[in-house]
Amino acid sequence: MQNLKLMRAIIFRDYGDPQEVMEFVEDFEIPTPNKNEVLVKVECASVNAADRYIVRANYFIIRMVFGLFRPSKKKRILGMDIAGTIKGIGKNVKSFQIGDAVVADIRKSFGGGYAEYVIVNAKHLVKKPQEVSFEQACTVPISGQAAMMGMILCDIKRGDKVLVNGASGGVGSFGIQIAKAQGAYVAAICSTKKIEAVKSWGADEVVDYKKKDSIKALIGKEFDAVFDTASFECPGRYKQILNKDGKYVLVGGDFYNMLRLKFLGRFSRGSQKFMAVTQKVTVTTNIKTVLKMIADKKITPAIQKVIPLQDVPGAIHSLEQRTVIGKIVVNLNKEVSDHS
């Protein structure tokens, strides 16, 4: 019988290939909540691009945060978003109680979701609607929230034309559906193998970047907004397909493109606006909005597969190989023998 003070977790003791530096353990100590915190039993978490960047330490800032030569002992469990059940409460927490089903973005504590239990500051918690499953809910705090924030910045109106780049990923899958729910015409950019999935989420038009230069293929079609979740080229290229008042919002992709947009000037012409996503609406507010849209069946999280905890390193590897369509969900109650 498992020691009640110990839990299962996926940890990484070094930087590098996730399949080499991450490991499954059963003897990680269960943390204790402080006065403003709760202890959450993680039911489900989801895999995000941030996991791959952190494991590889792709940017020097990651080493500054997690550890210069190897991750510090306190930051060895990744997993940035969770859905679970409260099992313990700090003395100052009044708005939640033991047994509540909750959802949280835990990036500010640098993760912890790939474990049976995690500590979360109560201010980052959102109650999970009963109509939304744990598997659906865990896809929302990072991908769903980012898509909602990006779409708010795109300022979409019914009838607008929106282009989604990186349409087949977690953020893109939410972005397409949110834009459609707001009455937009949606064009999407993805690779050949992912076209059918992207169409199933509601895209009106799909450009296969494997077969043609996406932006050149769209010249002559003016868009009201570009929602870019996978920027690996100069954002300025999009100005030729934006209308004179169009908005370009960068949500994911190259870290240095994000910095360029935030600090090093604009690419716009006329009244066009180019921006990196900023948190103008609180994370918890956006999470609540997306969860309600799911509960109301206006959108559906695009879950490619559900895996057990032990399969997390392989899932992160799949992200690196760009074979993921939508989201991979980690179900902490799923046994290894269950997965195919």
Side-chain angles (χ1 to χ4, degrees), residues 39 78 100 165 175 200 202 217 303:
L39 177 68
L78 296 179
D100 282 350
N165 183 39
S200 75
I303 298 173

Side-chain angles (χ1 to χ4, degrees), residues 109-138:
S109 54
F110 306 110
Y114 297 147
E116 287 183 281
Y117 295 89
V118 65
I119 296 296
V120 183
N121 190 302
K123 68 183 180 181
H124 297 144
L125 291 172
V126 172
K127 289 184 180 178
K128 181 185 76 66
Q130 192 171 0
E131 303 88 344
V132 180
S133 71
F134 284 111
E135 289 181 356
Q136 291 177 319
C138 76

Side-chain angles (χ1 to χ4, degrees), residues 46 81 135-144 174 294 301 303 327 329:
S46 78
D81 47 10
E135 289 181 356
Q136 291 177 319
C138 76
T139 67
V140 173
I142 304 298
S143 297
F174 275 107
I294 297 170
I303 298 173
K327 296 289 295 180
V329 165

Side-chain angles (χ1 to χ4, degrees), residues 115-253:
E116 287 183 281
Y117 295 89
V118 65
I119 296 296
V120 183
N121 190 302
K123 68 183 180 181
H124 297 144
L125 291 172
V126 172
K127 289 184 180 178
K128 181 185 76 66
Q130 192 171 0
E131 303 88 344
V132 180
S133 71
F134 284 111
E135 289 181 356
Q136 291 177 319
C138 76
T139 67
V140 173
I142 304 298
S143 297
Q145 192 282 139
M148 178 55 69
M149 190 65 254
M151 286 299 165
I152 289 170
L153 292 171
C154 285
D155 192 23
I156 296 170
K157 300 173 183 64
R158 183 165 294 277
D160 278 357
K161 293 178 67 177
V162 179
L163 174 65
V164 179
N165 183 39
S168 63
V171 179
S173 65
F174 275 107
I176 290 169
Q177 294 185 71
I178 293 169
K180 288 300 295 180
Q182 293 174 338
Y185 175 94
V186 178
I189 298 173
C190 68
S191 63
T192 313
K193 293 179 180 179
K194 301 175 181 179
I195 289 175
E196 289 308 310
V198 168
K199 285 182 177 178
S200 75
W201 301 333
D204 299 288
E205 174 184 358
V206 182
V207 177
D208 182 351
Y209 73 82
K210 292 281 189 181
K211 294 184 177 179
K212 59 186 78 171
D213 183 301
S214 309
I215 297 174
K216 285 184 179 178
L218 292 166
I219 287 177
K221 299 182 179 183
E222 289 195 340
F223 291 90
D224 299 285
V226 172
F227 179 70
D228 195 348
T229 79
S231 170
F232 295 101
E233 59 183 358
C234 178
R237 288 196 68 205
Y238 287 93
K239 65 186 179 183
Q240 58 194 316
I241 59 172
L242 272 176
N243 68 31
K244 62 182 180 62
D245 300 313
K247 296 178 178 64
Y248 170 96
V249 179
L250 175 57
V251 182

Side-chain angles (χ1 to χ4, degrees), residues 29-71:
E29 186 174 350
I30 295 176
T32 302
N34 291 323
K35 59 185 180 180
N36 296 313
E37 298 173 334
V38 304
L39 177 68
V40 178
K41 180 185 182 294
V42 180
E43 306 291 345
C44 295
S46 78
V47 181
N48 292 287
D51 300 319
R52 58 178 281 213
Y53 296 136
I54 294 167
V55 169
R56 293 279 187 181
N58 283 8
Y59 305 105
F60 184 69
I61 191 171
I62 291 171
R63 290 182 180 269
M64 291 176 65
V65 171
F66 284 84
L68 193 58
F69 300 107
R70 61 182 57 85

Side-chain angles (χ1 to χ4, degrees), residues 256-267:
Y256 298 110
N257 274 346
M258 299 284 284
L259 291 181
R260 285 166 87 189
L261 278 182
K262 280 184 181 291
F263 304 114
L264 299 179
R266 294 148 58 99
F267 299 100

